[in-house]
Amino acid sequence: MVRLWKLLALLLVLPSLGWAEERRATIHAPDALIETGLMKHILPRFSLKTQIKVDMVAEGEAQVVLGASGRALFKGAGQVWHLDVPGAGDPSADALAGWLTSEVGTRTIESFAPEGVALFASQDDVAAEVAPAAFDAEAEAGQAVARAKCTRCHAVDQETQWSPIGSTPSFAVLRTFSDWEERFVAFYTLKPHAAFTQITNLTLPFPIDRPSPIAPIELSLDEVDALVAYVAVLPAADLGEPLKHQ
């Protein structure tokens, strides 16, 4: 009976946290790419991570297109595959495009190895063949969010390189971490951010007996997505060679 009441309570809470509405994105890929099995490999992993369902549709109906035009993404199956985002500006489409170009998305593409043989190489291997990606509108919006909401503790770019808190790592340093994307996507759940950060329609209000110790930071989920998009194009800090003990 106790478990039943807990389940009922959870079902009542979820809509208030903004999880009840299903998020969807659409993508198109040519038959030659679909037949390799790559889409069945990567799309469920994206959906599991983001809770965004992705539908395969015709090219003219797609928000995200893998094909011969746009940003070079990976190569394999006899050609270089590019990413085009006709639906840019839609949060779900932007999330899918951002994931495909992220380190996590790259590793997922590279890990597709039916019969133990990897079929695709990452965009790093085709970078010399194409022009680099532009600093797009979402990344620019993310930089603005970072400057407005994060510079109280972090250096977020060259103009804010001197952090008010010397022990707090800069965004460029955080970008060197292998799990940087996971850290930024869910930063508001990590210490110390959870104590003073509110995400609209997601996080619960601060407990009455544990108010924010400083002026709270408030962001929307779209601002979090933009922040991740900005960090994705931010050059990682050069930390030099690891120290060697004698």
Side-chain angles (χ1 to χ4, degrees):
M1 179 62 71
V2 173
R3 290 183 178 179
L4 177 60
W5 277 110
K6 286 183 177 180
L7 177 60
L8 291 174
L10 179 61
L11 292 175
L12 290 173
V13 169
L14 286 179
S16 68
L17 296 180
W19 295 339
E21 184 178 352
E22 185 177 45
R23 300 173 66 192
R24 306 179 76 94
T26 57
I27 191 170
H28 171 79
D31 290 343
L33 187 58
I34 294 173
E35 289 169 0
T36 67
L38 178 67
M39 307 310 292
K40 290 183 178 180
H41 174 76
I42 65 175
L43 294 183
R45 287 164 171 78
F46 166 77
S47 295
L48 181 64
K49 176 179 175 60
T50 64
Q51 303 303 304
I52 299 174
K53 179 176 175 57
V54 183
D55 298 315
M56 297 288 298
V57 298
E59 184 172 2
E61 302 171 0
Q63 298 169 307
V64 176
V65 176
L66 295 176
S69 62
R71 170 182 177 175
L73 193 61
F74 56 89
K75 65 180 179 180
Q79 71 177 82
V80 175
W81 299 94
H82 298 71
L83 173 69
D84 190 20
V85 192
D90 177 87
S92 296
D94 289 345
L96 176 56
W99 183 83
L100 286 169
T101 57
S102 71
E103 289 186 3
V104 172
T106 295
R107 290 196 298 269
T108 304
I109 293 169
E110 291 178 322
S111 70
F112 179 58
E115 300 181 1
V117 179
L119 297 185
F120 299 95
S122 72
Q123 67 257 32
D124 293 337
D125 293 329
V126 299
E129 304 172 21
V130 295
F135 197 67
D136 62 20
E138 186 177 28
E140 290 183 358
Q143 183 179 34
V145 171
R147 287 182 173 180
K149 305 293 180 71
C150 306
T151 52
R152 182 162 58 185
C153 299
H154 296 275
V156 303
D157 53 22
Q158 286 294 325
E159 286 71 22
T160 60
Q161 59 180 309
W162 301 111
S163 169
I165 302 177
S167 61
T168 302
S170 68
F171 276 23
V173 169
L174 291 171
R175 185 64 176 78
T176 66
F177 296 173
S178 61
D179 63 342
W180 73 266
E181 186 174 25
E182 288 85 349
R183 289 172 181 260
F184 277 89
V185 166
F187 80 91
Y188 49 85
T189 68
L190 305 177
K191 293 181 179 180
H193 305 92
F196 54 80
T197 306
Q198 294 274 275
I199 306 299
T200 307
N201 295 325
L202 181 61
T203 55
L204 295 173
F206 298 120
I208 295 177
D209 60 336
R210 291 199 306 273
S212 174
I214 58 176
I217 295 174
E218 298 181 2
L219 297 93
S220 67
L221 284 172
D222 287 345
E223 287 179 315
V224 174
D225 288 342
L227 191 64
V228 175
Y230 165 60
V231 180
V233 298
L234 189 67
D238 182 1
L239 302 180
E241 292 294 327
L243 291 175
K244 296 181 179 180
H245 298 287
Q246 299 297 328

